Amino acid sequence: MDKTQITIIVGSQWGDEGKGKITDYFAINADYVVRFQGGNNAGHTLIVNNETYKLHLIPSGILYPNVISIIGNGVVIDPKVLLQEIKNLKERGNKVNLKISERAHLIMPYHIAMDEALSGHQGELGAGSTKRGIAPVCADKAYRHGIRIGDILEPELFKIKLKKAYDFNIGIITKVFQSSFTQSIDEIYDEYLGYAKELKGYITDTELELHKAYKNGKNILYEGAQGMSLDLDHGMYPHTTSTNNIASYAGVGSGLSMYGVQTKIIGLVKAYVSRVGVSPFVTELEEEKAKELRDAGNEYGTTTGRPRRVGWLDLVQVRQSIRTSGITDIALTKLDILSNFEKIKVCIAYDIDGERVTEMPASLSKLRQAKPIYETFTSWEKITEEKSNEFIKNGYTALPEKMKEYIEFIEQEIECMVNIISFGPKRNQTIIK
Ligand code: GDP
Ligand code: IMO
Ligand code: MG
């Protein structure tokens, strides 16, 4: 991690680019790994020594016992899911070196019911949410009747706050959406006081801890969730999630100021694109070809198991991510999957009503009309175990010439270095150029 103490990993597409894998890869040099936004809508997969770990809330540095994992104030937490994740890791013999910001907001059962009701209401202007309660918890935070994890450690205050939030949410669920909600306020109160007992030891002032760590020269690695096109402000609104996920949110979602601080910002780009849920998708493949790519890349959601929509790499999207996050390095993942196709395409611009557009438009109607302008490449030979080992041993020069051509073309088009290359799901199937 050279002199730079802060590294931020962000998704540059619609999520599932391999952020978990790359975070785990770099976590070996980190003192802290921090989640700063999103919630358990995220699903991050790590494969180490043939063991698979699926994480939703716990940062992907957790497999290193000396790394401190932090869930920052910007994350929204479903305590039931978090406790299950902690339990799973402990049962597998992993040390859970975890600290949770007392300022992080809690997903409550009524948020999940509200998410379900909202999804029906929003129809084609919805995002196809993961139904984990993300939009409602973020809305309650902005309404200022959200419940922070620190609140459940103060039972009297929690009771008063819960009453306000419960009445508000249940009113909307039952009266506006005519849906039912059966859990009583007392049941929720008792359930969450139970979580408080189990989580108490992890909850602390992580903002202060990170500040001190930075001052003491520690290395801090930030792990983004979701991807740029799902960012609340810069993504394809309203088909987004409800948190910001571009790199500048790392400061907000962890309480560590990054002004004037040297940062390395790694943008995760999958060599093709996948999308779970609703939105325009300019490079989406027709179902027959999509199925081939989906199965080759195992593009089924880690969180929901839903089949992901898939398409060719879209550099208009990547350009926006580089610009909005200030990306210094691109990690290109799943290059092995493209060897299943003889010809592969890369979208370099959109054709919108006869006009060539190279930067992402904000207008939903323009995005719906956009047609991809492609450059076509010949793919490379299948990456066998033997080939993979050769790449690991000899690095970039050992990669197939056609793959290098493809990578170097991308670099030119986006004016950013592609210097982290991933050709398999395992931790060691990664090379630095
Ligand atoms: P995240 O949400 O960005 O962390 O990504 P996910 O973990 O949800 O999805 C990425 C999937 O691709 C996971 O199943 C990873 O194990 C897998 N993966 C990551 N990098 C590679 C790669 O280079 N090649 C292959 N074949 N799989 C990869
Ligand atoms: P990771 O971190 C892929 C998508 C959902 C939906 C939209 C809004 O694994 O990359 P939400 O439940 O957040 O209100 O859903 O965002 N979405 C993701 N898609 N990967 C993710 O996370 C996602 N998190 C949210 O499918 O379209
Ligand atoms: Mg994922």
Side-chain angles (χ1 to χ4, degrees), residues 245-344:
N245 49 49
I246 60 169
S248 43
Y249 204 77
V252 180
S254 70
L256 184 67
S257 170
M258 299 204 182
Y259 286 106
V261 169
Q262 189 180 331
T263 51
K264 177 171 173 143
I265 302 178
I266 302 176
L268 261 287
V269 175
K270 182 151 64 180
Y272 54 91
V273 183
S274 68
R275 200 315 176 212
V276 197
V278 183
S279 73
F281 184 164
V282 181
T283 63
E284 184 165 19
L285 287 169
E286 300 280 336
E287 186 45 34
E288 198 182 318
K289 204 140 195 162
K291 189 169 180 341
E292 231 181 291
L293 182 53
R294 183 183 304 125
D295 289 345
N298 190 26
E299 294 297 344
Y300 294 88
T302 314
T303 300
T304 57
R306 291 182 287 179
R308 297 170 181 157
R309 298 161 67 194
V310 290
W312 297 119
L313 177 60
D314 181 348
L315 296 183
V316 177
Q317 183 178 40
V318 176
R319 274 185 207 113
Q320 189 195 6
S321 178
I322 292 173
R323 182 160 47 81
T324 52
S325 276
I327 288 167
T328 55
D329 305 69
I330 293 281
L332 190 60
T333 61
K334 300 193 101 162
L335 280 158
D336 52 314
I337 303 303
L338 291 186
S339 66
N340 289 283
F341 295 85
E342 206 183 306
K343 296 281 176 198
I344 51 181

Side-chain angles (χ1 to χ4, degrees), residues 110-250:
Y110 44 79
H111 290 140
I112 296 166
M114 180 81 93
D115 206 355
E116 184 76 45
L118 268 176
S119 298
H121 172 72
Q122 289 171 335
E124 66 158 21
L125 282 180
S129 100
T130 58
K131 313 256 176 78
R132 299 299 191 263
I134 306 296
V137 71
C138 293
D140 272 4
K141 178 175 173 179
Y143 272 130
R144 302 190 300 270
H145 56 230
I147 293 174
R148 306 200 291 186
I149 200 163
D151 295 337
I152 59 174
L153 304 181
E154 297 182 57
E156 288 314 311
L157 178 70
F158 175 43
K159 191 172 245 171
I160 299 163
K161 286 194 160 188
L162 179 61
K163 171 99 179 82
K164 278 262 173 278
Y166 185 90
D167 289 349
F168 180 88
N169 279 277
I170 299 335
I172 297 178
I173 292 167
T174 58
K175 296 194 182 109
V176 178
F177 292 121
Q178 316 281 322
S179 295
S180 66
F181 186 83
T182 51
Q183 224 175 334
S184 73
I185 189 164
D186 291 340
E187 281 169 336
I188 296 179
Y189 183 70
D190 291 343
E191 181 186 333
Y192 276 65
L193 286 187
Y195 298 144
K197 269 197 200 124
E198 292 187 77
L199 290 170
K200 195 168 186 255
Y202 299 104
I203 302 170
T204 182
D205 186 343
T206 55
E207 297 81 37
L208 187 59
E209 171 141 2
L210 283 172
H211 173 76
K212 288 182 181 161
Y214 181 72
K215 287 212 134 186
N216 289 326
K218 302 290 185 199
N219 287 329
I220 306 171
L221 176 62
Y222 283 86
E223 177 184 26
Q226 289 80 49
M228 185 272 306
S229 291
L230 293 169
D231 182 276
L232 184 58
D233 286 75
H234 299 284
M236 286 190 190
Y237 190 86
H239 307 292
T240 61
T241 188
S242 298
T243 55
N244 290 101
N245 49 49
I246 60 169
S248 43
Y249 204 77

